[in-house]
Amino acid sequence: MKLADPPEVLAFRAEFAAFLDTHIPGEAEAVERPRSSADVPAWARRWQRTLFDAGWLLPGQPPQFGGRNATLPQQLAHLEELARRRIYHSFNPQGLGIVAASLISFGTEAQQRRWAVPVLRAEITAGLGMSEPGAGSDLASLRTRAQLSDDGTYFTVNGQKVWTSGAHHADILLTFVRTDPDAPKHHGISVLVIPTDTDGVVRRPFGSIASRDDHDFNEVFFTDVRVPRENLIGPLNEGWRVANGSLGHERTLLWLSFAERLDDLVRDAESEEEWYATLLMDAQALRLLGYRQLGPDRAPAEVSVLKLLGSEAVQEASLQALEEHGSEALRHPASTGPYYHMHGDEFVSSWFERYVRSFAGTIAGGTSEIQRNIVAERILGLPR
């Protein structure tokens, strides 16, 4: 349980705070707003490069990847300081947190230089081609096919992805494909980096229930898309290991984003009703459980407890706020909290939008149903 920061973490936090005081862009500079999770305005690209060059983008990474080999408690302090100031870590969150992290873990040095570093420096943006029609939570059911040429120099990709966030603005997609159709379900999967301007790649953004202007999700179609073998990430047919690593990057400190959303709700939805007391307790409980993960005895499966508690608490409190505000909560667009130019605008949007967006938290990074299965089997020891 985290009661106070040790001296080395306090010094780390103070150094980062001083850096932010000096370098953070002003509101007048941040007028242009992102249109999707892979559309990074020019000012935000400059800011991300500033963080990278100073070692403050991903402090846990070595300097060549925008970090300074920080410890886990220091990484938490870094994210807490960003959250305290309402600074969005990156306006290309999947590119930073999943795609680049996966390339660092599984890519060759050449692949890291070619794609990971440019994504981290916001010179290009990236999306994640995982989900398909009929293969959402059950990723192993994917059917997008990549056939290796007879001479072994390129793949021909055919298939479809869906819910691909920011694909229409992304420069590359980290794409999961089936390379051995005869292999068992969790085998025969590989991972390719596919530039979105490749012939045969078609991206179709579509709206969501959150807003008529919300065009983040995409259908992506691959028709005879030719991808060089050098774009293969990790060994052929071992993409399931990369998939687990990709989602692991997404989940490690994911609970902190839910803690931030709960703090937003505490600030914006102040109420005298019983549900508000539950919100306060959930917010405190999530942080205390999260801080336990900083210790040497942390169990990987306990991350599922944090993900489940955080996502479900945000959704329940958002629903209660929506219902308490009645018909006024359906007014859209609307602002339900203070504007922060360095943060995502959707976090202070109408109560209706905030509620419907909460469903993403119970799906992305592993659905609540999957998290309950992990808790049941790996923590409680219940039979499958």
Side-chain angles (χ1 to χ4, degrees):
M1 184 180 298
K2 175 174 178 277
L3 297 178
D5 286 331
E8 64 273 14
V9 176
L10 284 173
F12 182 91
R13 187 190 295 270
E15 183 182 355
F16 184 44
F19 172 86
L20 293 175
D21 289 340
T22 303
H23 294 91
I24 191 168
E27 186 171 341
E29 184 181 349
V31 174
E32 184 184 357
R33 309 308 294 170
R35 296 168 293 168
S36 80
S37 58
D39 178 47
V40 183
W43 66 266
R45 290 176 185 259
R46 291 192 297 270
W47 167 240
Q48 187 164 316
R49 284 193 289 273
T50 298
L51 289 168
F52 179 95
D53 292 341
W56 288 119
L57 182 64
L58 294 173
Q61 294 288 349
Q64 65 266 32
F65 298 127
R68 49 184 62 204
N69 295 310
T71 64
L72 187 59
Q74 288 173 331
Q75 293 173 56
L76 178 64
H78 169 263
L79 292 176
E80 285 183 330
E81 197 63 28
L82 291 175
R84 186 179 70 83
R85 296 169 182 251
R86 298 297 191 271
I87 299 174
Y88 207 25
H89 194 183
S90 170
F91 287 99
N92 183 209
Q94 287 191 332
L96 180 70
I98 302 178
V99 177
S102 297
L103 291 168
I104 291 170
S105 295
F106 298 99
T108 64
E109 185 176 344
Q111 291 170 336
Q112 293 165 357
R113 288 196 306 268
R114 183 178 177 186
W115 294 305
V117 172
V119 168
L120 294 173
R121 289 179 52 80
E123 294 164 356
I124 62 174
T125 61
L128 184 65
M130 273 190 169
S131 297
E132 299 182 5
S137 298
D138 186 12
L139 175 64
S141 296
L142 66 86
R143 292 182 292 179
T144 293
R145 177 78 188 277
Q147 185 170 355
L148 189 61
S149 62
D150 291 339
D151 62 3
T153 60
Y154 66 90
F155 295 91
T156 301
V157 180
N158 286 279
Q160 177 188 356
K161 298 293 179 178
V162 72
W163 315 115
T164 314
S165 298
H168 57 310
H169 290 129
D171 296 297
I172 60 171
L173 297 176
L174 188 70
T175 310
F176 289 75
V177 295
R178 187 161 293 284
T179 43
D180 185 353
D182 299 321
K185 185 175 179 180
H186 291 81
H187 301 270
I189 294 172
S190 299
V191 185
L192 299 173
V193 170
I194 303 181
T196 55
D197 60 358
T198 307
D199 289 343
V201 177
V202 175
R203 297 161 286 168
R204 296 179 183 170
F206 58 89
S208 77
I209 193 174
S211 166
R212 68 178 67 183
D213 300 321
D214 180 55
H215 291 93
D216 191 36
F217 290 141
N218 280 252
E219 293 178 298
V220 183
F221 299 89
F222 303 94
T223 305
D224 295 331
V225 176
R226 186 164 169 163
V227 181
R229 179 164 183 153
E230 64 194 37
N231 291 28
L232 175 69
I233 306 303
L236 182 68
N237 295 324
E238 293 189 21
W240 189 249
R241 184 164 63 92
V242 180
N244 285 329
S246 298
L247 293 176
H249 290 305
E250 185 180 20
R251 291 170 180 162
T252 302
L253 287 174
L254 182 62
W255 66 268
L256 195 59
S257 66
F258 294 119
E260 186 178 357
R261 297 290 78 75
L262 290 173
D263 289 345
D264 290 343
L265 287 162
V266 168
R267 178 197 64 206
D268 301 333
E270 190 170 352
S271 171
E272 296 181 357
E273 300 296 325
E274 183 177 335
W275 69 266
Y276 189 75
T278 300
L279 166 61
L280 293 172
M281 289 186 288
D282 285 343
Q284 182 71 355
L286 181 62
R287 285 197 178 273
L288 293 177
L289 289 171
Y291 292 148
R292 283 186 49 177
Q293 291 296 304
L294 301 179
D297 299 325
R298 61 182 180 273
E302 290 186 8
V303 173
S304 291
V305 175
L306 300 175
K307 204 281 187 175
L308 186 62
L309 169 60
S311 61
E312 297 280 343
V314 168
Q315 186 170 103
E316 178 61 24
S318 299
L319 174 60
Q320 295 292 343
L322 173 72
E323 292 181 339
E324 182 165 324
H325 286 82
S327 60
E328 186 64 23
L330 301 177
R331 186 183 299 277
H332 192 83
S335 295
T336 52
Y339 171 74
Y340 295 98
H341 68 282
M342 296 297 293
H343 209 30
D345 298 342
E346 65 271 21
F347 299 128
V348 293
S349 56
S350 70
W351 285 119
F352 168 77
E353 182 171 347
R354 289 175 73 161
Y355 171 59
V356 297
R357 283 188 181 277
S358 71
F359 283 86
T362 62
I363 298 171
T367 66
S368 290
E369 291 77 12
I370 288 175
Q371 305 305 329
R372 288 187 174 94
N373 283 341
I374 293 173
V375 171
E377 295 169 12
R378 302 183 189 176
I379 297 179
L380 301 179
L382 300 178
R384 293 177 64 89

